[in-house]
Amino acid sequence: MNNSFWNKSVKALLSVGLVASFGVPATQSAVQAAAPANDLFISEYIEGSSFNKAIEIYNGTGASVELSPYSLSLYTNGSTSSQSEMALSGTVASGDTIVIYHSGADSAIQSKGDLQNNSVVNFNGDDALVLEKSGAPIDSVGQVGTRIENMKDVTLVRNSDIQSGDSVVNDAFDPSSEWTVYPTDTFEFLGSHTIDGSSETPVPTPTLDGYYETTNGLQGESLKAELHEIIDDHTQLSYSQVWDALKITDEDPNNSNNVLLLYTGESRSKSLNGGNVGDWNREHTWAKSHGSFGTAMGAGTDIHHLRPTDVQVNGLRGNLDFNYGGSTVSGCDGCLRTSTSWEPPNEVKGDVARMLFYMAVRYESGDGVDLELNDLVNNGSMPYHGKISVLLDWHEQDPVSAWEQQRNEKIEDIQGNRNPFVDHPEWAESIW
């Protein structure tokens, strides 16, 4: 990669104000919103394949809201009478959402869900849903009394300039007026919402523009092969350029002079990169000895799996496979270690899994090394990493965070490719 490309990438990242526009690490909750909204409203609608159905309700009022006066009703097949009603309960904090989902939905939906319902959340693309407060409608999706066809096999996300619901439940429903329409089985926006005038830190919205279009209808090995075609041939960095890249991709949103370290979560000065005690160095999440690719351009310098890590913690992890259990690790709260395995803290278990999923798809025969996941530990120099069963557990237990999404965006700017399992968590189960 030439220096002009590198300088252009860095300037582009700085010009969009990454510190201001991105910045919720996995262990930090979003800042509560201000109060431009006068009541709750529906912020997302998912009508996907099979039982992939969910409704997200957002509180942008500036105060915690007690849910007992609220209910959600389903109007099917053009009926003017509700067929099912769900009384809500509990509270929702300002700036937070509640996600109601079908029990048969994909794990990527369930991992972000708050309430389960198989009657109201069993809608089809021509049904209507109404959010009520004390029996009076305050928002709706679809058109009560009319069967329409523009809500089938889509995800609808409420636009950020919309700050109140549509209480006229029988008016014509045009998604383009208040919603952004995404393809079927788009789940990555679920569980977070932002409106204009709020101080909540938004989950960054990927502008994929057909990036994964050729994967439509694919599953298993066919999906894996097509994803490889999409993400291979990325711009390869030198190992020395990785230092500067990580200072951008892993910058502490609360201190632009620091990076956040994998495993420990510590914020440490960017200038303390090196090999001494107290420094941070370049951790290969897919251990570079597993396939013997070292620090060669390609797998050895791919910043999708390279992370800043405390030198001593990195040394203790070494080239261990990932698994549950072991003894506590000095200097890393939540880390466990055996002679053959490493368990990271809960806050980054999913991050680790998705980085390894990426590597197993990105590097196939013809890429210098063919990397694959297996269900073993102690893989040594073989081009395998484990354990896949554990990684899938961690992927489900620790869903994609805003921190991972923003990192994916930054890496695409620098390296030119994305991690598909950050954009589409459901693909891990389809492939493995």
Side-chain angles (χ1 to χ4, degrees), residues 44-99:
E44 186 163 345
Y45 162 99
I46 295 177
E47 203 284 316
S49 60
S50 187
F51 291 112
N52 288 338
K53 304 174 191 292
I55 293 292
E56 176 189 274
I57 298 172
Y58 173 68
N59 176 15
T61 65
S64 179
V65 171
E66 207 278 312
L67 294 171
S68 60
Y70 296 85
S71 62
L72 186 66
S73 295
L74 173 64
Y75 293 74
T76 62
N77 302 324
S79 175
T80 57
S81 301
S82 67
Q83 276 62 60
S84 301
E85 182 177 2
M86 176 187 183
L88 304 185
S89 61
T91 59
V92 56
S94 176
D96 204 358
T97 63
I98 56 170
V99 174

Side-chain angles (χ1 to χ4, degrees), residues 99-159:
V99 174
I100 308 168
Y101 65 97
H102 193 284
S103 66
D106 189 278
S107 60
I109 292 178
Q110 295 198 34
S111 66
K112 300 181 181 182
D114 299 295
L115 301 171
Q116 185 184 112
N117 183 279
N118 287 4
S119 53
V120 171
V121 190
N122 194 25
F123 45 82
N124 293 315
D126 57 358
D127 299 331
L129 292 137
V130 177
L131 178 64
E132 297 182 346
K133 181 180 182 181
S134 301
I138 59 172
D139 197 11
S140 57
V141 182
Q143 185 175 355
V144 172
T146 303
R147 300 181 71 165
I148 56 177
E149 295 296 334
N150 55 9
M151 296 168 58
K152 181 176 177 58
D153 297 329
V154 295
T155 290
L156 304 179
V157 177
R158 211 73 176 256
N159 295 336

Side-chain angles (χ1 to χ4, degrees), residues 265-280:
E266 178 190 348
S267 178
R268 189 171 294 179
S269 172
K270 291 177 179 178
S271 65
L272 291 176
N273 60 300
N276 298 320
V277 175
D279 288 344
W280 61 270

Side-chain angles (χ1 to χ4, degrees), residues 310-389:
D310 175 79
V311 165
Q312 290 177 289
V313 173
N314 190 2
L316 290 169
R317 187 262 157 145
N319 68 347
L320 298 174
D321 289 279
F322 292 97
N323 197 5
Y324 288 109
S327 303
T328 58
V329 175
S330 176
C332 184
D333 187 25
C335 291
L336 297 173
R337 184 183 187 276
T338 73
S339 62
T340 58
S341 68
W342 179 266
E343 180 178 352
N346 292 336
E347 293 82 0
V348 294
K349 279 183 164 71
D351 305 53
V352 166
R354 287 178 281 275
M355 286 188 279
L356 267 62
F357 296 160
Y358 163 87
M359 292 294 284
V361 169
R362 170 60 186 87
Y363 296 95
E364 301 282 14
S365 94
D367 293 313
V369 62
D370 184 0
L371 303 179
E372 298 294 343
L373 295 166
N374 65 14
D375 212 31
L376 303 173
V377 294
N378 206 21
N379 277 296
S381 62
M382 299 296 289
Y384 307 125
H385 227 302
K387 300 175 61 172
I388 180 59
S389 59

Side-chain angles (χ1 to χ4, degrees), residues 244-255:
D244 291 327
L246 295 183
K247 292 175 184 178
I248 295 169
T249 60
D250 292 75
E251 182 179 285
D252 182 349
N254 298 314
N255 185 344

